[in-house]
Every structure is written in structure tokens, then in C-alpha cells.
Amino acid sequence: QVSAALKEGRVTPMELCQQCLSLIKSTKFLNAYITIAEETALKQAEASEERYKRGQPLGVLDGIPVAVKDNFNTAGIETTCASNMLRGYISPYNATVVQKLLDQGAVLLGKTNLDEFAMGSGSTDGVFGPVRNPWSYSKQYKEKSVPKSHSEDKESNWVITGGSSGGSAAAVSSFTCFAALGSDTGGSTRNPAAHCGVVGLKPTYGLISRHGLIPLVNSMDVPGILTRCVDDAAVVLGSLAGHDPKDSTTIQDNFKPFELPSLTDVSKLSIGIPKEYHAPGLSGEILALWSKAADLFRNAGAKVVEVSLPHTCYSIVCYHVLCTAEVASNMARFDGLEYGHRSDMNESTESMYAATRREGFNDVVRGRILSGNYFLLKQNYEKYFVKAQKVRRLIANDFVKVFQSGVDVLLTPTTLSDAAPYKEFIKEDNRTRSAQNDILTQAANMAGLPAINVPTALSERGLPLGLQFIGRSFQEQQLLTVAKWFEKQVQFPMIQLEEVKRHDHDVFQHEKSASF
Amino acid sequence: QKVSVEVLDHLEHLALVDFRDSEGVERLQNAIQFADQLHEVNTDAVEPMDSVLEDRCLYLREDDVTEGNCTKELLENAREKVEEYFVAPPGNIPLPKLEERDTFLQGS
């Protein structure tokens, strides 16, 4: 919609950019952004405006303000991964996906906040502080929350965004940008998308280049896309997907960007409901919502079947071992010598490395590195690492079997409940929280399958609840088509932010109607 | 079973990261306990999976130089450098042994 507005001249890229920048300033309390690239963004907007004046926009994304998670390299802009280890690190190059966005004329507003090195499920463990969910400040949440006493500071009741791409999700949800990049290793794009009421797409592993994405787990990482509607996600996907000679884990098949058809007939669809996703701790609300969604498909004529993915309960343990092992390897590059933080300790190379890493990493990162090294010790290699790799195959095979039996798309919850208040969330440590929250999203990363969170309804507390669709490998078109149909059916309400005054309603509004 | 101090020390050496306090050691113990659940799964005759793209050929490009000459940019991010070299402290000095180090593990 906004792209059409730009084309027709109803709004200019400079206006859009400036509005977004001023909105970012007025929503600073959300702590969604780590770095705001104001100067470069305005320059990009100016260039875009020139192109529109000449009638030669680069494409649909020309002039569209976007934000990028701070673990993607961006030339000339600080990239920190929310860690002291990379504070002050100015990337010398753009990640491929960032470059692709810029080549399409998108305006990069800034880098968003995350959990340190994308480890976590709350966006609470970065050195720049936690990200606040914009819905904490929405009319919908405030109406439903009962203050414990009149003197209670309403500020202290804010809820988390989920993680680890919380900053990106918050940025999209609070209208400061139209699309954002996140990364997804265990659910890091879909989890905050569900909590912030936005669409979060995890593409198939191998579809989008990881070149320039600071790696966590090389065999599971993918760049994630966060937008306000499924159509937008398809547009961004179209501009990012495809083989990259700089990333040999991208497949070589030709990728053709697609437009999503508006499905009217779902009778040929087969939706699978994996029973193991009725995980312990799943809130009654989400269970009811999941059930309602299944009924929605059934009543519309689709075939809805219960399926089984028996190894689901082991995916977290498996992830735990494989993730820590790969992290131990990937974090080894941070030694202070070529980039990033360097300790003043100068007695020997090893002691300098040790001191640098001691000073640069937080507890979560250090903990994972040590665990990973333990699992990779010669005496433990077979018992843990190889064993986890075998379990991974079992998990991936579960999915293969289910899709072979005729199921097109799986429907599952994305999170166990709505967003928790920050004060509650921090009562348990990072690993426990991750283990609890990743259970519904992790298996898709294990198997490399595409998955998307679609905001579905509001919870009793007035916070977003989302449902997840998991598709077949490289069948993003089918997955997104189903997601789009579902999105249309549920008509998720728009966030009503009181503290934010929007001048141009035409540009920022999407459909606004009754709830599901 | 608890992890022995020798192994903990070995890990600190391998990872070049320290446990810092008892919480760190406990975290590792918990992680191991958590991972032990893997042994409940029967994986007889199952091959380990390295990558989900194992059915495809890895892309190998031609061995041609396509980019480079960016010495200046790359050196910019390093703190200690001399001409075109990264400067490191002497490398032939091993980390002190457990007894001589100022590490939390000394106390355990």
C-alpha cells in the first residue's frame, strides 16, 4: 500500500523517512534500536525521491524504510550483536541480504536490539538493555491490566518482546519501519513476531544467503523477515531469496519471486495438526485458539488431520547440544586481534585472548561456549555431539514422513502463552527460558523447513497471540498462500498506541476490524 | 556425576573462557544433565545428520580472485597494528597452570 502511495506521489520517500525517524525518537523507551543511521537513511531517501521524480523507482521496495537486526553486517554502520565484544565495530561490508535491500532502494533506518549474539528468547540479555514490547503501551493491554495499587508505576508492568529478534519485531509493530530483518536459529524470528503481533517468516534453510549474518549455528541459522502482513513478507522474500556465490549453503535452483494468490477455495488443502505440539505449559487460551483455527479450516472445506511427530520432545535437547557445539566453534573467532574488543592484557597471546573473551562476552555466551566445548571433547564426542546429530535426523525424518502422507501444511501454536511481564521473565535464567519457549519453533530449524507466524487474536490480557504454519522445504509460495488466507479470516486488530501520534493515517493504516 | 576439576581446567584452556564463579560451573553441570536426556532415544542404525541440504551438492565456485585489495578497511577495526600487520603479544608463552592462575577453579 505504501509503495503504491510512493508511486502515486501521495507521499515522498523523504517524508516517510523523516516520519519514521521521528517516530523512532518518540518511541525510544522501547529500546528497539541500538544504532540509528539517520544521515545515511536521509541520503538514501533523497536518492529514492530523485528516482520517483524521474519515474524510475528500482522496485516495490524503493524508498521503504526498513530496519535490520544488529547481527547483520552493515558497511560503515556499527554492528554490535548487543555484545561488548563488538562494541565500536564498524563493518567493512554489507551482508548480502542488506545489500539486496539497498539495491532495491530500501532506506535503512538503523540496527535493532537483540539478545547478545542472538542467544535467548526474550531480547533481554543484550548489553544495551532489554527491548520493551510496544503492546505494553497499547490501549488494548492497558484496558485489561489491573494495577495492584494506585501508586504502582505503570512503567514497570511492561512485557517482553520475545527473542532474540525482539528489536526488529518491536520496530515493525510500532510502525517505525515497514519491514525488518531478523535471524532465526531456534525460533528467534517467530517468537517475537508472535508476542508483538507481526508476521514472522523463517524461510527454508538454503534459500536466503547467510553471508554477512554473524553466525550462531551454521547448520540452522537463516535470516528472518518481519512485516505487518503476509503479502509484505512475500515481497521482501522475493527480493532476498536466491543463490549467493558468497554463501555455498544457498541452493543453486533458480528462484522466481511470486505474488500471492488470494485463495478462495481451500478444499484441496490438507492441514496437519501435530499432537506433540500440545506441549506442557501450553496456555489454555492458545490451545483454544489453535482448536478454533483448525475448525476454521475444516469448516472452509479443507482436510484437517491429526499427525504425529514423535521426536518433537527431544528437539530442545538436541538443539541444546548442537547449538552449544557450533557456538563454541563460531565464537572462537572473537579474540580481539583483528576486530572488536581487545583486552589490555599483553603478556602472551593466549592470556590476551582469554582476557578479551572474559571481558567481552556475557554469562550466557560464555556458558554456551563452555558447554559446547564439553560436548566436543574427545571422550564426549560420540556420546553427545554425534548422538545429537542422529536425533536430528530422526526429527527431520518425522517431518518427511508427515509431508509424504499428503499433508500440505502444519498448523501449530508459536508460543506457549502471550508475552510475559519482564519482571516475571527474568526470574528464570536464559537457558531455562529458551528451553521452555523454543519448543514449538525449534524443530522447524532442525529440519530446515519454512515456517511463519501469523498474528491471530488478542489474549485475555490484551496481548497478541500468534499461530504457526510449517511448510515443505522450498514451498514458501504454498506456505504463504495458506498464511495469507488465514490472515484474512482472522482479521487481527491493529495496535492502538496512545503515546504515538500518527500524522498520516492513510499511509500507516492496514485493515482494521473485528477480532477473531 | 560431577565434572572433575581437571576437565573444568581443560575446558577453560580449550575455550579460553573462564567459569568465573560457582554459578558457571553449576550451569555446565545442568547443561550436561539436560543433554543426558538424549540417551533415551534409540538411534541404532541412524546416520548422523550434518546438514539438511545433504542431498545436494555443495556449491564450489571457480578458483578465481574476484575481490580483495581491502587491506586498509580490514586493518581499521584492529586495535594494535603495525604497517600491514596485526600485532599480537608473544605466542610461545603458555597459559599458567591451574595452581598458578588466578582462577575460580583454584578454590574447588
Side-chain angles (χ1 to χ4, degrees):
Chain A
Q1 287 175 321
V2 75
S3 187
L6 282 170
K7 238 179 169 170
E8 292 163 23
R10 279 187 277 133
V11 69
T12 71
M14 283 300 277
E15 282 168 3
L16 257 190
C17 182
Q18 275 154 349
Q19 269 183 30
C20 285
L21 285 172
S22 77
L23 196 58
I24 294 176
K25 287 199 186 90
S26 57
T27 52
K28 230 184 161 130
F29 53 89
L30 293 177
N31 202 15
Y33 287 82
I34 294 179
T35 308
I36 303 173
E38 189 161 341
E39 264 183 50
T40 52
L42 287 169
K43 277 206 202 92
Q44 286 161 6
E46 227 185 287
S48 171
E49 202 162 302
E50 280 301 302
R51 290 192 290 268
Y52 273 105
K53 282 205 186 107
R54 291 199 310 264
Q56 293 170 338
L58 292 167
V60 180
L61 289 177
D62 202 340
I64 304 286
V66 298
V68 158
K69 187 174 177 183
D70 208 13
N71 58 355
F72 285 92
N73 274 292
T74 42
I77 302 176
E78 195 181 356
T79 301
T80 64
C81 294
S83 172
N84 276 321
M85 188 56 95
L86 285 178
R87 239 184 170 151
Y89 168 69
I90 313 267
S91 323
Y93 69 107
N94 275 324
T96 299
V97 288
V98 172
Q99 190 62 55
K100 284 192 171 181
L101 285 178
L102 293 176
D103 287 343
Q104 289 280 309
V107 174
L108 178 61
L109 294 173
K111 312 296 290 297
T112 57
N113 206 350
L114 58 153
D115 279 308
E116 181 155 344
F117 279 110
M119 300 189 199
S121 58
S123 299
T124 49
D125 278 317
V127 292
F128 297 101
V131 185
R132 299 186 183 203
N133 193 328
W135 284 83
S136 317
Y137 302 96
S138 69
K139 205 156 145 231
Q140 290 106 326
Y141 178 61
K142 286 187 185 164
E143 274 169 5
K144 298 289 176 86
S145 58
V146 181
K148 292 190 181 60
S149 69
H150 286 290
S151 57
E152 179 179 274
D153 176 15
K154 71 170 181 183
E155 284 283 301
S156 64
N157 217 18
W158 56 273
V159 296
I160 57 165
T161 49
S164 58
S165 311
S168 288
V172 174
S173 169
S174 59
F175 301 104
T176 57
C177 64
F178 287 82
L181 288 184
S183 69
D184 197 313
T185 307
S188 296
T189 294
R190 292 160 285 156
N191 180 302
H195 286 317
C196 293
V198 296
V199 170
L201 170 65
K202 172 211 169 296
T204 312
Y205 179 83
L207 186 63
I208 298 189
S209 171
R210 287 182 300 110
H211 175 76
L213 166 60
I214 295 174
L216 189 66
V217 182
N218 296 76
S219 64
M220 295 184 224
D221 282 351
V222 285
I225 298 171
L226 293 140
T227 55
R228 288 199 276 279
C229 67
V230 177
D231 272 323
D232 286 353
V235 169
V236 180
L237 181 69
S239 66
L240 295 182
H243 176 66
D244 181 14
K246 293 186 186 162
D247 178 357
S248 63
T249 57
T250 51
I251 58 159
Q252 292 157 68
D253 301 358
N254 262 324
F255 174 79
K256 280 198 223 78
F258 48 79
E259 248 187 58
L260 294 176
S262 288
L263 207 59
T264 41
D265 173 26
V266 293
S267 59
K268 297 194 188 58
L269 263 186
S270 173
I271 308 284
I273 310 282
K275 62 180 188 201
E276 289 84 2
Y277 278 67
H278 185 354
L282 191 67
S283 81
E285 269 188 314
I286 296 205
L287 187 60
L289 197 65
W290 188 18
S291 196
K292 222 166 153 188
D295 288 338
L296 187 73
F297 278 101
R298 203 177 281 122
N299 293 336
K303 186 169 156 217
V304 180
V305 284
E306 194 191 70
V307 296
S308 176
L309 296 166
H311 295 92
T312 303
C313 56
Y314 295 109
S315 85
I316 288 295
V317 191
C318 185
Y319 176 65
H320 169 72
V321 174
L322 293 178
C323 172
T324 50
E326 295 217 31
V327 160
S329 165
N330 279 322
M331 295 294 126
R333 72 192 69 195
F334 298 107
D335 53 21
L337 206 50
E338 295 151 34
Y339 42 72
H341 174 69
R342 176 174 172 149
S343 163
D344 289 326
M345 157 73 72
N346 237 339
E347 297 202 1
S348 69
T349 315
E350 283 203 1
S351 65
M352 187 277 275
Y353 288 174
T356 299
R357 291 155 72 82
R358 171 179 231 266
E359 292 161 21
F361 291 139
N362 74 358
D363 289 338
V364 178
V365 181
R366 284 198 342 272
R368 291 202 193 188
I369 294 175
L370 288 163
S371 306
N373 275 101
Y374 180 82
F375 297 131
L376 290 172
L377 287 175
K378 254 200 289 209
Q379 70 251 39
N380 294 329
Y381 196 80
E382 279 286 331
K383 238 185 6 156
Y384 290 101
F385 185 68
V386 178
K387 180 85 182 180
Q389 287 189 310
K390 293 182 180 178
V391 175
R392 180 176 186 178
R393 182 178 296 282
L394 290 174
I395 294 173
N397 283 346
D398 278 354
F399 282 102
V400 170
K401 282 194 207 112
V402 162
F403 283 125
Q404 265 171 4
S405 74
V407 168
D408 297 305
V409 162
L410 294 169
L411 168 65
T412 77
T414 316
T415 51
L416 292 177
S417 67
D418 56 8
Y422 178 69
K423 290 194 290 195
E424 283 300 310
F425 188 78
I426 51 176
K427 285 188 184 157
E428 293 276 358
D429 74 77
N430 185 293
R431 193 180 61 77
T432 315
R433 283 297 181 211
S434 297
Q436 290 166 344
N437 291 314
D438 288 346
I439 192 147
L440 300 166
T441 49
Q442 214 298 305
N445 291 86
M446 276 288 162
L449 299 171
I452 185 170
N453 170 77
V454 181
T456 311
L458 291 182
S459 71
E460 265 175 35
R461 284 163 65 216
L463 295 172
L465 294 172
L467 289 178
Q468 172 178 234
F469 292 93
I470 304 176
R472 297 170 192 232
S473 257
F474 301 107
Q475 300 300 316
E476 271 79 356
Q477 186 167 12
Q478 183 184 52
L479 178 68
L480 290 171
T481 305
V482 175
K484 180 173 162 174
W485 181 87
F486 184 68
E487 177 188 58
K488 191 147 180 257
Q489 302 299 310
V490 303
Q491 302 276 302
F492 183 75
M494 197 169 78
I495 185 175
Q496 286 159 30
L497 285 172
E498 301 179 312
E499 272 113 68
V500 172
K501 290 176 184 59
R502 293 195 297 287
H503 302 288
D504 191 349
H505 286 265
D506 294 317
V507 179
F508 287 98
Q509 267 194 16
H510 278 254
E511 61 264 3
K512 193 182 180 190
S513 32
S515 43
F516 183 34
Chain B
Q1 333 93 292
K2 296 197 74 169
V3 183
S4 70
V5 180
E6 286 81 34
V7 174
L8 291 175
D9 183 37
H10 187 47
L11 285 177
E12 278 196 347
H13 260 100
L14 280 177
L16 284 181
V17 154
D18 67 321
F19 282 100
R20 198 152 314 181
D21 53 29
S22 64
E23 231 190 284
V25 178
E26 225 184 280
R27 207 176 285 129
L28 178 67
Q29 304 274 155
N30 289 338
I32 300 171
Q33 210 181 2
F34 189 61
D36 281 331
Q37 288 173 61
L38 274 181
H39 302 119
E40 291 168 17
V41 190
N42 181 341
T43 52
D44 294 337
V46 179
E47 283 294 304
M49 179 184 240
D50 292 310
S51 162
V52 292
L53 300 176
E54 58 188 3
D55 294 329
R56 297 170 186 258
C57 277
L58 196 65
Y59 169 73
L60 292 176
R61 64 190 180 99
E62 290 302 310
D63 191 12
D64 295 321
V65 174
T66 50
E67 52 182 32
N69 283 325
C70 47
T71 318
K72 197 160 82 71
E73 286 92 344
L74 292 181
L75 283 175
E76 228 144 86
N77 280 305
R79 218 184 76 169
E80 310 273 342
K81 49 197 178 226
V82 165
E83 292 182 16
E84 289 187 349
Y85 292 89
F86 293 111
V87 180
N92 54 351
I93 303 173
L95 268 184
K97 290 210 188 44
L98 182 59
E99 308 82 63
E100 297 147 25
R101 276 203 335 266
D102 173 25
T103 166
F104 163 73
L105 292 178
Q106 270 239 35
S108 34

